[in-house]
Amino acid sequence: EEGAAGRRGERERCEEGLAERGPGAAFHMFVLMEDLLDKLKLLNYEEEALRRHNMRPLSRHYFALPTNPGEQFFMFCALAAWLISKAGRPFEQPQEYDDPNAVIANVLSELRSF
């Protein structure tokens, strides 16, 4: 019960923060996701990243809505690894069952070195 009440309180604070920023703030994450998808398509992510790993294309709101956190985390890490490799740095593709903390630490370490 405490966990549910805590999440409810967080949601209420988030909604209050969105109300203070204006009526369109709640939809900003959807716009960002659509922009991200457009940029990935320009980089030909469907051919280079998805087909190589036998993954489905992203929906327009894939990261904007929390549907399957484990799958979304793996997709984020796979795309991050692909983008790092695309930038000219050798980076090993993470596996689905790798330690999430280690994967994120590797991605952040590589990004800091840029």
Side-chain angles (χ1 to χ4, degrees):
E1 291 180 11
E2 287 180 14
R7 286 190 298 271
R8 193 175 323 112
E10 286 178 25
R11 189 176 325 124
E12 289 170 0
R13 284 190 297 280
C14 182
E15 289 171 0
E16 288 171 6
L18 291 173
E20 291 174 6
R21 292 186 283 166
F27 300 101
H28 184 68
M29 68 184 108
F30 296 101
V31 173
L32 289 176
M33 181 60 209
E34 289 185 25
D35 288 345
L36 171 68
L37 191 58
D38 288 342
K39 291 173 184 176
L40 288 171
K41 285 181 180 180
L42 287 172
L43 292 171
N44 200 23
Y45 92 106
E46 291 167 326
E47 292 291 323
E48 294 183 23
L50 297 183
R51 290 226 173 124
R52 182 178 302 155
H53 301 289
N54 199 27
M55 295 183 198
R56 294 175 293 148
L58 301 177
S59 69
R60 293 181 326 151
H61 304 129
Y62 185 78
F63 291 117
L65 299 171
T67 54
N68 183 343
E71 178 185 306
Q72 288 172 309
F73 177 77
F74 177 70
M75 180 63 82
F76 169 78
C77 292
L79 287 173
W82 173 71
L83 288 168
I84 291 168
S85 297
K86 186 114 174 122
R89 292 280 182 72
F91 194 83
E92 188 175 324
Q93 235 0 76
Q95 301 301 311
E96 193 166 1
Y97 298 105
D98 287 350
D99 176 32
N101 293 320
V103 173
I104 287 297
N106 291 340
V107 168
L108 290 174
S109 174
E110 194 62 39
L111 293 176
R112 283 186 192 108
S113 70
F114 276 104

mmCIF file of all heavy atoms in Angstrom, residues 42-45 48 80-91 114:
data_model
loop_
_atom_site.group_PDB
_atom_site.id
_atom_site.type_symbol
_atom_site.label_atom_id
_atom_site.label_comp_id
_atom_site.label_asym_id
_atom_site.label_seq_id
_atom_site.Cartn_x
_atom_site.Cartn_y
_atom_site.Cartn_z
ATOM 1 N N LEU A 42 16.625 8.618 -40.662
ATOM 2 C CA LEU A 42 17.612 9.257 -41.525
ATOM 3 C C LEU A 42 18.951 8.522 -41.474
ATOM 4 O O LEU A 42 19.686 8.499 -42.460
ATOM 5 C CB LEU A 42 17.809 10.723 -41.126
ATOM 6 C CG LEU A 42 16.671 11.671 -41.483
ATOM 7 C CD1 LEU A 42 16.915 13.036 -40.869
ATOM 8 C CD2 LEU A 42 16.508 11.777 -42.992
ATOM 9 N N LEU A 43 19.254 7.922 -40.345
ATOM 10 C CA LEU A 43 20.488 7.142 -40.193
ATOM 11 C C LEU A 43 20.331 5.700 -40.664
ATOM 12 O O LEU A 43 21.254 4.911 -40.526
ATOM 13 C CB LEU A 43 20.945 7.164 -38.727
ATOM 14 C CG LEU A 43 21.421 8.515 -38.211
ATOM 15 C CD1 LEU A 43 21.644 8.457 -36.704
ATOM 16 C CD2 LEU A 43 22.697 8.927 -38.922
ATOM 17 N N ASN A 44 19.147 5.372 -41.198
ATOM 18 C CA ASN A 44 18.863 4.040 -41.736
ATOM 19 C C ASN A 44 18.939 2.969 -40.649
ATOM 20 O O ASN A 44 19.485 1.888 -40.856
ATOM 21 C CB ASN A 44 19.817 3.724 -42.898
ATOM 22 C CG ASN A 44 19.290 2.640 -43.782
ATOM 23 O OD1 ASN A 44 18.084 2.386 -43.827
ATOM 24 N ND2 ASN A 44 20.191 1.983 -44.484
ATOM 25 N N TYR A 45 18.374 3.261 -39.488
ATOM 26 C CA TYR A 45 18.454 2.338 -38.364
ATOM 27 C C TYR A 45 17.717 1.033 -38.623
ATOM 28 O O TYR A 45 18.093 -0.011 -38.086
ATOM 29 C CB TYR A 45 17.943 3.004 -37.078
ATOM 30 C CG TYR A 45 16.458 2.804 -36.799
ATOM 31 C CD1 TYR A 45 16.044 1.933 -35.802
ATOM 32 C CD2 TYR A 45 15.480 3.473 -37.525
ATOM 33 C CE1 TYR A 45 14.700 1.739 -35.537
ATOM 34 C CE2 TYR A 45 14.140 3.285 -37.267
ATOM 35 C CZ TYR A 45 13.762 2.420 -36.271
ATOM 36 O OH TYR A 45 12.432 2.224 -36.005
ATOM 37 N N GLU A 48 20.314 -1.075 -40.712
ATOM 38 C CA GLU A 48 21.609 -1.289 -40.073
ATOM 39 C C GLU A 48 21.521 -1.848 -38.654
ATOM 40 O O GLU A 48 22.372 -2.625 -38.251
ATOM 41 C CB GLU A 48 22.404 0.009 -40.065
ATOM 42 C CG GLU A 48 22.789 0.474 -41.456
ATOM 43 C CD GLU A 48 23.634 1.724 -41.421
ATOM 44 O OE1 GLU A 48 24.277 1.985 -40.393
ATOM 45 O OE2 GLU A 48 23.637 2.442 -42.430
ATOM 46 N N ALA A 80 21.854 2.644 -28.509
ATOM 47 C CA ALA A 80 22.995 3.425 -28.044
ATOM 48 C C ALA A 80 24.299 2.807 -28.539
ATOM 49 O O ALA A 80 25.188 3.510 -29.026
ATOM 50 C CB ALA A 80 22.989 3.522 -26.517
ATOM 51 N N ALA A 81 24.411 1.480 -28.447
ATOM 52 C CA ALA A 81 25.618 0.793 -28.916
ATOM 53 C C ALA A 81 25.781 0.982 -30.420
ATOM 54 O O ALA A 81 26.888 1.227 -30.917
ATOM 55 C CB ALA A 81 25.548 -0.686 -28.558
ATOM 56 N N TRP A 82 24.688 0.870 -31.159
ATOM 57 C CA TRP A 82 24.754 1.055 -32.608
ATOM 58 C C TRP A 82 25.177 2.482 -32.958
ATOM 59 O O TRP A 82 26.009 2.688 -33.847
ATOM 60 C CB TRP A 82 23.396 0.719 -33.228
ATOM 61 C CG TRP A 82 23.335 1.039 -34.678
ATOM 62 C CD1 TRP A 82 23.964 0.390 -35.706
ATOM 63 C CD2 TRP A 82 22.628 2.132 -35.274
ATOM 64 N NE1 TRP A 82 23.676 1.000 -36.900
ATOM 65 C CE2 TRP A 82 22.849 2.073 -36.663
ATOM 66 C CE3 TRP A 82 21.809 3.132 -34.765
ATOM 67 C CZ2 TRP A 82 22.300 2.982 -37.544
ATOM 68 C CZ3 TRP A 82 21.259 4.037 -35.651
ATOM 69 C CH2 TRP A 82 21.505 3.964 -37.019
ATOM 70 N N LEU A 83 24.624 3.472 -32.265
ATOM 71 C CA LEU A 83 24.987 4.865 -32.533
ATOM 72 C C LEU A 83 26.451 5.144 -32.197
ATOM 73 O O LEU A 83 27.129 5.877 -32.924
ATOM 74 C CB LEU A 83 24.063 5.808 -31.756
ATOM 75 C CG LEU A 83 22.636 5.896 -32.288
ATOM 76 C CD1 LEU A 83 21.740 6.611 -31.283
ATOM 77 C CD2 LEU A 83 22.601 6.586 -33.639
ATOM 78 N N ILE A 84 26.934 4.562 -31.120
ATOM 79 C CA ILE A 84 28.348 4.735 -30.762
ATOM 80 C C ILE A 84 29.225 4.125 -31.850
ATOM 81 O O ILE A 84 30.220 4.724 -32.282
ATOM 82 C CB ILE A 84 28.639 4.121 -29.378
ATOM 83 C CG1 ILE A 84 27.957 4.951 -28.289
ATOM 84 C CG2 ILE A 84 30.143 4.024 -29.128
ATOM 85 C CD1 ILE A 84 27.929 4.301 -26.919
ATOM 86 N N SER A 85 28.862 2.941 -32.319
ATOM 87 C CA SER A 85 29.612 2.299 -33.401
ATOM 88 C C SER A 85 29.526 3.121 -34.681
ATOM 89 O O SER A 85 30.507 3.251 -35.414
ATOM 90 C CB SER A 85 29.083 0.892 -33.664
ATOM 91 O OG SER A 85 29.268 0.081 -32.544
ATOM 92 N N LYS A 86 28.361 3.667 -34.947
ATOM 93 C CA LYS A 86 28.153 4.492 -36.144
ATOM 94 C C LYS A 86 29.024 5.751 -36.089
ATOM 95 O O LYS A 86 29.443 6.252 -37.122
ATOM 96 C CB LYS A 86 26.678 4.872 -36.238
ATOM 97 C CG LYS A 86 26.297 5.589 -37.492
ATOM 98 C CD LYS A 86 25.386 4.728 -38.298
ATOM 99 C CE LYS A 86 24.872 5.478 -39.493
ATOM 100 N NZ LYS A 86 25.212 4.802 -40.719
ATOM 101 N N ALA A 87 29.321 6.226 -34.888
ATOM 102 C CA ALA A 87 30.163 7.403 -34.714
ATOM 103 C C ALA A 87 31.646 7.072 -34.872
ATOM 104 O O ALA A 87 32.492 7.952 -34.747
ATOM 105 C CB ALA A 87 29.911 8.036 -33.350
ATOM 106 N N GLY A 88 31.950 5.800 -35.133
ATOM 107 C CA GLY A 88 33.343 5.435 -35.403
ATOM 108 C C GLY A 88 34.083 4.799 -34.249
ATOM 109 O O GLY A 88 35.276 4.551 -34.332
ATOM 110 N N ARG A 89 33.401 4.552 -33.168
ATOM 111 C CA ARG A 89 34.027 3.913 -32.014
ATOM 112 C C ARG A 89 33.619 2.446 -31.948
ATOM 113 O O ARG A 89 32.428 2.139 -32.063
ATOM 114 C CB ARG A 89 33.584 4.589 -30.720
ATOM 115 C CG ARG A 89 34.082 5.995 -30.540
ATOM 116 C CD ARG A 89 35.510 5.930 -30.061
ATOM 117 N NE ARG A 89 36.172 7.163 -29.783
ATOM 118 C CZ ARG A 89 35.954 7.966 -28.778
ATOM 119 N NH1 ARG A 89 34.981 7.759 -27.946
ATOM 120 N NH2 ARG A 89 36.690 9.031 -28.598
ATOM 121 N N PRO A 90 34.554 1.538 -31.781
ATOM 122 C CA PRO A 90 34.153 0.134 -31.623
ATOM 123 C C PRO A 90 33.431 -0.052 -30.288
ATOM 124 O O PRO A 90 33.911 0.397 -29.247
ATOM 125 C CB PRO A 90 35.478 -0.631 -31.653
ATOM 126 C CG PRO A 90 36.514 0.374 -31.306
ATOM 127 C CD PRO A 90 35.992 1.721 -31.718
ATOM 128 N N PHE A 91 32.266 -0.652 -30.333
ATOM 129 C CA PHE A 91 31.475 -0.852 -29.119
ATOM 130 C C PHE A 91 30.722 -2.159 -29.259
ATOM 131 O O PHE A 91 30.026 -2.378 -30.241
ATOM 132 C CB PHE A 91 30.492 0.305 -28.902
ATOM 133 C CG PHE A 91 29.900 0.351 -27.540
ATOM 134 C CD1 PHE A 91 30.568 0.937 -26.498
ATOM 135 C CD2 PHE A 91 28.653 -0.207 -27.301
ATOM 136 C CE1 PHE A 91 30.026 0.975 -25.220
ATOM 137 C CE2 PHE A 91 28.093 -0.177 -26.040
ATOM 138 C CZ PHE A 91 28.783 0.413 -24.991
ATOM 139 N N PHE A 114 33.857 10.760 -25.625
ATOM 140 C CA PHE A 114 33.670 11.605 -26.804
ATOM 141 C C PHE A 114 34.035 13.027 -26.434
ATOM 142 O O PHE A 114 34.213 13.889 -27.102
ATOM 143 C CB PHE A 114 32.212 11.561 -27.290
ATOM 144 C CG PHE A 114 31.903 10.402 -28.192
ATOM 145 C CD1 PHE A 114 31.195 9.311 -27.714
ATOM 146 C CD2 PHE A 114 32.306 10.395 -29.508
ATOM 147 C CE1 PHE A 114 30.883 8.260 -28.532
ATOM 148 C CE2 PHE A 114 32.001 9.334 -30.329
ATOM 149 C CZ PHE A 114 31.289 8.263 -29.855
#
